[in-house]
Each structure stands twice: as structure tokens, then as C-alpha cells.
Amino acid sequence: LILMARLTRRRLVFPARFMPLAVVGATTVAGQLIGLSYATPRIGTAMAAIFVASIPLFSMVISRLWGLEHITPARVLGLTLGTIGLLMLVGFPAVPVTPTFLLGCAAMLFSTFSAAFGSNYASRHLAGTGPWEVTIGAFLSGGIIALPLIAVVPVPAVPQAVDYLYLVALAGLMSSLTYVLYFGLVSSIGATRAISVEFAVTVVAVLVGALLLDEPLTLMQLVGGAVIIAGCALVLGLMPAKAKIPLQP
């Protein structure tokens, strides 16, 4: 991103304090991706993706506690539906409920909470910082935080040339440029609404996991995912309310 900014003559203005960028890096980047990476092999891509759809629920609670957004009856209903959906998702899995499975679910809850916390923190403390600067600072600090995990989870084999190409594609296209757009949305429309883009992630990942990777999903889990998305739609105000007919004198 720094190289691209230089090539496009984009002027980068970082905040005077690095701590807010470090907090966003520790949560939105390191916390979210570490939890996701740990959980996915244990619960499957499709189920992990359905968990991702619950991020707006955590975001609404955090933003309300910080006074960033107001809570309405529709959002309370949405939060309730989302909670029911999560219970349906975890309580009726297509695989046996083992300690490994439960650890994977806990890791996904940690991942989704980290994403919601970091996004709201950025909205609150980095509102005047550009999305390029937020992304660069967050990924730099998140990478430093996650780096010691190499000693705990060693690389299983010697990376080949194509592996480095995949890493560049993942880091440069699917992460850095995507987060530039994402943090721009956080700054302009707020964290909870910006996180609604995760719905697209959920749909694509569920289809890939179920159709291409042959990962099992029960009907109850699919219904739970639909309930979560419906709850998030209420939280985000995406469901149109009935127009009120004015009273005639």
C-alpha cells in the first residue's frame, strides 16, 4: 500500500499517536484473522462464514455502549433474532459436538467480536484519519502481533514459489485494498452499517464450503444462518418499515 501510494502520489498523513492504529490492528486484523484461521479447520468454512454474519450484532451492542448509535425496538428485535440464530447454529451442528468443535465455535465468537470492536474503535478514535493510513497502520501492527505465532504454529512445509504468489494475492488484493474500501465506509457511514458487507462474504463462503468442499450443513443450521441475517437486517435498518398513513382531521 505504501508503494502504491508513492506511485499514485497519494500523500499519507498518519495520526500523531500510533496507539489507536495498534488497537485496530490487534482486533480487526490480528484478533479476527487468528480466530478465523483457528476455527475454520475445526468447524468448516461454511459454518465459520455464518458466524461472520453475526458481526453486526456485536457492533450494534458496542456502538450503543459507546454512544455512537441509538438503539430502537427494531434493533432490539434484530439482536434477539441474531442470538436465537447463533443458538440454532451451534446447538444443531452437522458434525459431532466435541471439545474441538466447541473450541472452534469459541474462536469464531472471539473473531467476530474482535472485528466489531476494532471497527467501532476506528470509527470513534480514527474518524479523521484516511482509510489508507488506517489500513497500513492496522496491518503493520497486526502483523507484528501475530508474528510470534510462527514459533507456536510452524509452517508445515517449505513454501514454493507459487505459495508466495498466493500470499501476495491474499495480502495485496483480498486484504489490503479491500480494507482500504472498508475503513472508508466505516468513516463515512459508521461501523455497523459498513460491516453489512460481511453478508456477501457469508453467502459466498457458505456456497463454496457446501458445494465445492462438500462440508456438511444441517437444515437447522441453514435456518439459523437465515435468522442471523434477518436479525442483522433489522439492526442495520435494511428491512423497510410500513409507511404510516397520516390521520385525517
Side-chain angles (χ1 to χ4, degrees):
L1 284 179
I2 293 176
L3 178 60
M4 291 182 62
R6 297 282 181 156
L7 293 176
T8 57
R9 297 182 179 180
R10 177 181 296 273
R11 184 169 176 264
L12 299 175
V13 181
F14 291 93
R17 296 174 60 247
F18 188 75
M19 182 57 68
L21 293 175
V23 173
V24 176
T27 53
T28 300
V29 178
Q32 178 182 196
L33 297 182
I34 289 172
L36 182 63
S37 300
Y38 180 84
T40 302
R42 290 160 176 80
I43 66 175
T45 303
M47 187 166 176
I50 297 176
F51 267 104
V52 168
S54 66
I55 295 178
L57 302 176
F58 291 112
S59 180
M60 185 200 73
V61 175
I62 294 171
S63 63
R64 178 65 186 94
L65 292 175
W66 286 355
L68 299 177
E69 298 180 13
H70 296 291
I71 228 173
T72 63
R75 288 188 165 189
V76 172
L77 176 59
L79 182 60
T80 303
L81 285 177
T83 303
I84 294 173
L86 284 174
L87 292 175
M88 295 170 65
L89 187 64
V90 179
F92 300 91
V95 296
V97 178
T98 62
T100 299
F101 173 82
L102 294 177
L103 280 175
C105 292
M108 273 310 304
L109 289 175
F110 171 76
S111 174
T112 54
F113 178 82
S114 295
F117 182 92
S119 298
N120 279 278
Y121 188 92
S123 178
R124 186 179 187 183
H125 296 280
L126 294 169
T129 305
W132 284 72
E133 291 84 348
V134 174
T135 304
I136 291 171
F139 271 80
L140 176 61
S141 58
I144 293 173
I145 292 170
L147 186 60
L149 292 177
I150 293 180
V152 182
V153 187
V155 179
V158 178
Q160 304 297 317
V162 68
D163 296 324
Y164 291 105
L165 180 61
Y166 292 150
L167 284 175
V168 170
L170 286 171
L173 298 177
M174 300 180 187
S175 293
S176 59
L177 291 179
T178 302
Y179 269 90
V180 167
L181 298 175
Y182 173 72
F183 282 121
L185 286 175
V186 170
S187 177
S188 60
I189 65 175
T192 301
R193 289 184 180 275
I195 291 174
S196 63
V197 299
E198 299 289 358
F199 290 157
V201 175
T202 298
V203 173
V204 173
V206 166
L207 291 177
V208 170
L211 300 179
L212 299 183
L213 302 179
D214 294 325
E215 295 179 348
L217 281 176
T218 65
L219 178 61
M220 187 64 73
Q221 285 179 301
L222 292 175
V223 173
V227 171
I228 290 174
I229 292 177
C232 290
L234 284 171
V235 169
L236 297 168
L238 300 180
M239 287 189 176
K242 293 182 179 180
K244 293 183 180 180
I245 302 177
L247 295 176
Q248 299 294 329

